[in-house]
Amino acid sequence: MTEPVKGPASYFPSIEKKYGRPIGEWQEMIRSSELTKHMELVNWLKSEHGMGHGHANALVAHTLKEG
């Protein structure tokens, strides 16, 4: 039996569906941004891409954790 996805990655299917881009594309945008701080990136996703706070936070947290 497969373990359910937990943590920030559990948001990924709904992020892809709601905002129309694959997670890899969002992660590349985050990595290529001149912004480096967690909340700066979250606020950027919210203001520039209309992302909700929970989705933006999960995406940034997961991306920054990966390095």
Side-chain angles (χ1 to χ4, degrees), residues 37-66:
K37 293 182 179 176
H38 181 94
M39 285 310 297
E40 289 176 337
L41 289 160
V42 169
N43 289 330
W44 171 69
L45 288 171
K46 290 167 60 176
S47 65
E48 296 297 317
H49 299 283
M51 196 171 280
H53 182 82
H55 286 160
N57 189 57
L59 193 51
V60 170
H62 187 79
T63 303
L64 294 180
K65 184 178 177 185
E66 285 185 339

Side-chain angles (χ1 to χ4, degrees), residues 7-50:
S10 67
Y11 286 88
F12 289 0
S14 59
I15 291 171
E16 289 180 333
K17 182 177 180 181
K18 185 166 185 171
Y19 304 105
R21 295 179 189 220
I23 294 304
E25 191 173 320
W26 288 113
Q27 289 180 311
E28 185 57 37
M29 290 169 60
I30 290 168
R31 289 184 187 111
S32 65
S33 171
E34 293 180 7
L35 303 173
T36 58
K37 293 182 179 176
H38 181 94
M39 285 310 297
E40 289 176 337
L41 289 160
V42 169
N43 289 330
W44 171 69
L45 288 171
K46 290 167 60 176
S47 65
E48 296 297 317
H49 299 283

